[in-house]
Amino acid sequence: SQCPWGAPNTTSISCSLADVMSEQLAKELQVEEENAAFPEVVAVAEGPFITGENVDTSSDLMLAQMLQMEFDREYDAQLRREEKKINGDSKVSISFENYRKVHPYDSDSSEDEVDWQDTRHDPYRADKPTTTPRKGFTGKGKDITTKHDEVVCGRKNTARMENFAPEFQVGDGIGMDLKLSNQVFNALKQHAYSEERRSARLHEKKEHSTAEKAVDPKTRLLLYKMVNAGMLETITGCISTGKESVVFHAYGGKSATEDKVMLPECAIKVFKTTLNEFKNRDKYIKDDYRFKDRFSKLNPRKVIRMWAEKEMHNLTRMQDAGIPCPQVVILKKHVLVMSFIGQDQVPAPKLKDVTLSSEDMKKAYCQTLNMMQQLYKECNLVHADLSEYNMLWHDGKVWLIDVSQSVEPTHPHGLEFLFRDCRNVSQFFQKGGVAEALNERELFNAVSGLNIAADNEVDFQAEIEALEKMNEDHVQNHGKKLSMFSSNGDPPIYDE
């Protein structure tokens, strides 16, 4: 037996150089290798497909037409690419339809590739439009049609809607022969321009000032710093949104200083950094002697910071006097952190939103009257915007909020603001069924202690304006340091 690992017995076949270089021998060897490797392919290849018996290639005209059709399709595809490259996102587009070899509707291309803009058909034009000649009218007599015809103008107005801004949606009226009157078209045009300008203003606000929710990049950075420093654990969300500020709820963290104790729940009041809502409220701060020297219309952000600082000082006065109000934690530029009036992220309801019994309503009135007297005599302040919207009901007590506009009675309009507060409070509790509620004049005298006697409201307000004029003259003559308030907190004395 032979060894399986032994060398095989090879028999060498000798051949001449002519046989090796023979093309016939090379072709035979190739056929043998193909038959051994791909027998099924060879069987199929030997069918009638190779012989060309089932294909009519005898007509040169048919071959030429097929080649020409393929060339035309490639040419049209190149034109479409050129159109897309040139037009881009432009509202005005060009078309190479006249240079195409195959019309879109004659080819077997899909309908998705065909757009109505590629044709010269106007979808807003009637099927049989009436052309207006150069002379401006057509027809004679009663059948005359001018360029001011209602139908002609309506179709032109419908076509002009395409000139509106892309953001203004005009709808799809293709094939409906729409006709807009001049009045409707002018109204739509004015509305489109207004929306375009409004969107530009909103973009400007988002870039340079506080937006709707008062969280612009600078404000967001301040809040991030408070959270990163550990002063706040987390900011949960927005509580309320107003014209001047936005209030957020947050959980307190560790104290930054020893004298400041962070509360479990905090309210973050962010003053909006746009002056749109403060243009008519300059009188609350520019005539306040505490901020008069620092007031400037040339620096809007500083004015907003003064509003936040003003509310902080007013809340500190009220807290020292024992008036129920939010406790100031910290002030950072236009962001004021206070104690949260409420529990578990649920803010205390406003006095206008809560339904109280007759006993609680009477109790709330007595508390409000007492707080107004304390605010005037002990804190030397007038709320200037006191109403049921700025009073909260929590733990059976009335809490005062939003005192950024509060001024001192020596303000040139301090007594006017006090009379307005008395009117709001008196009307609310009288409508609430409190029989003991005083009217605005009696409440004003009870709070201020001036005892102004007048038979009607007009004379009463005239007396108030006269007292304010005397007060202003006294301040101008003697300066601010000679306060018109005694040290024991008595009402102001308006005579020299």
Side-chain angles (χ1 to χ4, degrees):
S1 62
Q2 296 180 356
C3 180
W5 291 279
N9 297 325
T10 58
T11 58
S12 59
I13 301 174
S14 60
C15 58
S16 64
L17 180 61
D19 295 336
V20 174
M21 299 299 296
S22 174
E23 295 183 0
Q24 186 68 23
L25 179 61
K27 186 174 181 180
E28 291 177 357
L29 293 175
Q30 182 180 359
V31 171
E32 290 179 0
E33 292 179 358
E34 290 178 355
N35 292 336
F38 309 103
E40 67 279 358
V41 176
V42 174
V44 175
E46 291 177 354
F49 180 78
I50 299 299
T51 60
E53 296 176 356
N54 60 341
V55 179
D56 186 10
T57 57
S58 60
S59 175
D60 294 339
L61 178 60
M62 180 178 294
L63 292 175
Q65 289 178 349
M66 293 173 62
L67 292 174
Q68 185 64 38
M69 181 64 71
E70 187 65 25
F71 172 79
D72 292 343
R73 289 177 181 174
E74 294 179 359
Y75 181 78
D76 292 344
Q78 179 65 23
L79 285 181
R80 282 194 294 269
R81 288 193 294 268
E82 291 293 332
E83 283 182 4
K84 187 176 180 180
K85 180 179 179 181
I86 295 175
N87 293 334
D89 297 333
S90 177
K91 297 179 182 179
V92 181
S93 60
I94 65 173
S95 176
F96 294 152
E97 180 188 0
N98 293 339
Y99 300 96
R100 293 181 182 175
K101 300 297 182 180
V102 182
H103 196 272
Y105 295 104
D106 295 338
S107 65
D108 56 353
S109 61
S110 62
E111 296 181 358
D112 297 337
E113 299 178 357
V114 181
D115 192 4
W116 65 268
Q117 292 182 354
D118 295 337
T119 66
R120 293 185 177 272
H121 174 65
D122 189 353
Y124 295 105
R125 189 176 301 170
D127 295 335
K128 295 181 179 180
T130 57
T131 58
T132 304
R134 291 187 177 181
K135 58 185 178 181
F137 65 92
T138 58
K140 295 182 180 180
K142 293 186 295 184
D143 299 332
I144 189 171
T145 301
T146 65
K147 63 180 180 180
H148 303 290
D149 182 66
E150 183 178 359
V151 177
V152 176
C153 290
R155 289 170 178 158
K156 289 183 178 179
N157 291 337
T158 305
R160 289 195 191 104
M161 287 197 305
E162 293 296 323
N163 298 327
F164 290 164
E167 296 82 9
F168 189 77
Q169 303 296 333
V170 296
D172 186 6
I174 297 179
M176 299 177 62
D177 192 18
L178 298 178
K179 296 179 284 292
L180 291 180
S181 63
N182 292 334
Q183 182 179 3
V184 174
F185 174 76
N186 291 334
L188 287 175
K189 182 179 179 181
Q190 186 64 32
H191 180 66
Y193 290 162
S194 301
E195 287 294 316
E196 189 175 1
R197 290 194 299 268
R198 187 180 70 86
S199 62
R201 289 196 301 269
L202 287 178
H203 180 72
E204 185 73 14
K205 283 185 179 181
K206 291 179 181 178
E207 292 292 335
H208 301 289
S209 62
T210 301
E212 182 179 359
K213 293 299 181 183
V215 185
D216 59 345
K218 293 185 178 180
T219 305
R220 193 179 298 112
L221 182 60
L222 287 176
L223 298 178
Y224 285 162
K225 286 183 178 180
M226 291 182 182
V227 175
N228 292 335
M231 299 171 54
L232 299 176
E233 181 179 351
T234 180
I235 300 175
T236 57
C238 180
I239 300 175
S240 64
T241 303
K243 297 181 297 183
E244 305 166 0
S245 61
V246 175
V247 182
F248 296 93
H249 175 272
Y251 286 106
K254 62 182 180 180
S255 176
T257 57
E258 296 181 358
D259 56 342
K260 292 291 183 181
V261 179
M262 296 302 298
L263 303 174
E265 290 186 274
C266 300
I268 306 174
K269 188 170 185 179
V270 180
F271 289 83
K272 294 184 178 181
T273 54
T274 54
L275 274 183
N276 295 333
E277 303 296 341
F278 292 89
K279 290 180 180 178
N280 299 327
R281 302 179 71 93
D282 293 346
K283 58 185 179 180
Y284 291 99
I285 192 170
K286 70 177 181 180
D287 293 326
D288 194 330
Y289 75 92
R290 296 176 294 173
F291 303 93
K292 186 174 183 180
D293 296 336
R294 299 164 52 193
F295 180 78
S296 173
K297 288 186 177 181
L298 301 179
N299 197 332
R301 283 191 174 271
K302 286 189 177 181
V303 175
I304 307 305
R305 294 178 188 177
M306 289 171 62
W307 273 95
E309 183 181 349
K310 192 165 182 269
E311 178 155 8
M312 181 192 68
H313 289 309
N314 293 338
L315 287 175
T316 303
R317 285 193 188 184
M318 295 168 61
Q319 185 179 353
D320 294 340
I323 298 176
C325 65
Q327 178 184 351
V328 178
V329 177
I330 193 171
L331 172 66
K332 291 289 186 180
K333 294 183 179 180
H334 60 284
V335 177
L336 179 62
V337 181
M338 305 172 292
S339 61
F340 178 70
I341 310 300
Q343 189 176 5
D344 297 334
Q345 302 186 30
V346 179
K350 298 179 181 178
L351 206 57
K352 74 175 185 67
D353 297 329
V354 67
T355 302
L356 300 177
S357 62
S358 58
E359 189 67 24
D360 289 339
M361 185 66 72
K362 181 179 178 181
K363 179 181 177 182
Y365 174 73
C366 296
Q367 292 178 3
T368 303
L369 178 59
N370 186 29
M371 285 189 297
M372 292 179 68
Q373 292 176 341
Q374 283 184 287
L375 193 66
Y376 187 86
K377 296 179 180 180
E378 299 181 22
C379 301
N380 193 21
L381 288 175
V382 174
H383 192 283
D385 193 20
L386 187 61
S387 65
E388 61 273 18
Y389 293 86
N390 291 329
M391 291 187 287
L392 304 180
W393 181 259
H394 181 61
D395 289 341
K397 294 189 298 183
V398 178
W399 296 68
L400 293 183
I401 60 171
D402 193 10
V403 293
S404 59
Q405 72 286 331
S406 299
V407 296
E408 294 192 351
T410 55
H411 189 277
H413 303 283
L415 297 181
E416 295 180 22
F417 298 154
L418 177 60
F419 184 74
R420 186 177 61 189
D421 293 346
C422 294
R423 179 190 290 116
N424 296 334
V425 172
S426 178
Q427 291 178 356
F428 172 74
F429 284 103
Q430 285 179 356
K431 291 180 180 178
V434 180
E436 295 82 358
L438 304 175
N439 58 37
E440 55 266 23
R441 286 175 285 174
E442 295 173 348
L443 185 59
F444 180 88
N445 289 330
V447 173
S448 63
L450 295 176
N451 298 324
I452 299 177
D455 297 334
N456 51 51
E457 184 175 342
V458 177
D459 295 338
F460 196 89
Q461 291 183 348
E463 290 288 337
I464 292 177
E465 292 177 1
L467 291 175
E468 288 179 342
K469 185 65 171 60
M470 294 174 56
N471 177 40
E472 187 176 0
D473 294 341
H474 180 87
V475 171
Q476 290 179 356
N477 294 331
H478 298 83
K480 292 293 182 183
K481 291 186 178 181
L482 295 178
S483 175
M484 303 185 65
F485 293 85
S486 58
S487 58
N488 56 2
D490 291 337
I493 303 174
Y494 287 91
D495 54 358
E496 298 183 6

